[in-house]
């Protein structure tokens, strides 16, 4: 509908725009972020401020959360049109409802939340990821993203789960304790003490 509104605007069809804008805001499909963005832009171009508000509210409450890349993109689009309240609402839904299976997508969603100043929601998502995220194939870039959104404590908690799946080196490297554990660790998790060959007698 965004392109149709654009064509009508170019043709000077003001009466038809007035009739179509409310329908576009309330019935347009919300399946693709770029389509929502195009429609928002055209509604704004034709001065349909009330419809812009209605569409951003729909997007924040009804947009599906199964595609995290799409959610991240929509957050940025809503931010660009100044829909701060709706950004907060969508980010809050994502932080509490999304599944955490795709760590790369979670990473990018955290980045988008940081870009749109959804800091509280990013922290909430990071707090969920710390105990729930699978760590056997964890990309440590996610840990850095958690730090960047101010969730350093949650990142540390997630990194602390790495040794249990045989990834002690990555855990130590992330925590900055590489020198402390240069000789390995004891079964209780403490740093292994230094030793000499005479200790083996």
């Amino acid at each position: 509908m965004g392109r149709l509104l654009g064509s009508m605007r170019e043709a000077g069809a003001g009466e038809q725009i007035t009739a179509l804008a409310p329908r576009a805001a309330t019935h347009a499909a919300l399946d693709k972020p770029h389509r929502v963005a195009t429609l928002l832009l055209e509604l704004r171009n034709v001065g349909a401020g009330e419809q812009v508000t209605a569409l951003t509210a729909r997007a924040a409450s009804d947009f599906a959360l199964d595609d995290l890349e799409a959610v991240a993109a929509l957050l940025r689009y809503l931010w660009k049109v100044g829909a701060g309240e709706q950004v907060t609402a969508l980010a809050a839904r994502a932080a509490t409802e999304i599944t955490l299976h795709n760590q790369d997508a979670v990473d990018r969603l955290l980045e988008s939340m940081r870009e749109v100043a959804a800091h509280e929601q990013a922290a909430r998502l990071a707090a969920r990821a710390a105990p729930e995220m699978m760590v056997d194939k964890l990309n440590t870039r996610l840990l850095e993203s958690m730090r960047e959104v101010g969730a350093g404590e949650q990142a540390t908690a997630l990194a602390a789960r790495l040794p249990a799946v045989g990834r002690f080196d990555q855990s130590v490297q992330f925590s900055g304790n590489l020198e402390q554990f240069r000789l390995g660790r004891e079964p209780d998790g403490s740093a292994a003490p230094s030793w000499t060959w005479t200790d083996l007698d």
Side-chain angles (χ1 to χ4, degrees), residues 63-87:
F63 193 81
L65 301 177
D66 52 346
D67 183 345
L68 301 192
E69 301 277 3
V71 175
L74 184 58
L75 281 171
R76 291 191 292 270
Y77 288 138
L78 292 175
W79 181 255
K80 286 179 181 178
V81 298
E85 185 177 336
Q86 290 75 20
V87 164

Side-chain angles (χ1 to χ4, degrees), residues 24-172:
T26 56
H27 296 294
L30 300 176
D31 55 336
K32 301 293 183 183
H34 70 277
R35 290 180 184 172
V36 176
T38 298
L39 181 53
L40 283 171
L41 179 61
E42 288 302 333
L43 287 171
R44 189 169 61 176
N45 287 342
V46 299
E50 186 176 334
Q51 285 73 35
V52 168
T53 300
L55 181 57
T56 56
R58 278 187 63 216
S61 63
D62 299 340
F63 193 81
L65 301 177
D66 52 346
D67 183 345
L68 301 192
E69 301 277 3
V71 175
L74 184 58
L75 281 171
R76 291 191 292 270
Y77 288 138
L78 292 175
W79 181 255
K80 286 179 181 178
V81 298
E85 185 177 336
Q86 290 75 20
V87 164
T88 299
L90 178 58
R93 284 180 59 217
T96 57
E97 298 176 24
I98 65 165
T99 60
L100 301 173
H101 301 315
N102 187 333
Q103 60 177 281
D104 291 334
V106 172
D107 179 19
R108 284 186 282 275
L109 182 56
L110 280 171
E111 176 64 19
S112 289
M113 287 181 172
R114 184 182 65 79
E115 290 176 7
V116 301
H119 304 301
E120 181 180 335
Q121 292 74 23
R124 195 179 309 159
L125 177 57
R128 282 184 60 210
E132 297 178 28
M133 183 71 69
M134 298 293 290
V135 293
D136 54 338
K137 296 181 180 179
L138 182 68
N139 182 345
T140 54
R141 167 61 197 159
L142 176 61
L143 298 174
E144 295 297 338
S145 292
M146 291 170 72
R147 271 183 174 171
E148 289 169 5
V149 300
E153 184 176 335
Q154 292 88 344
T156 299
L158 181 56
R161 295 172 54 212
L162 288 169
V165 294
R167 301 184 63 186
F168 175 72
D169 289 350
Q170 290 94 332
S171 176
V172 169

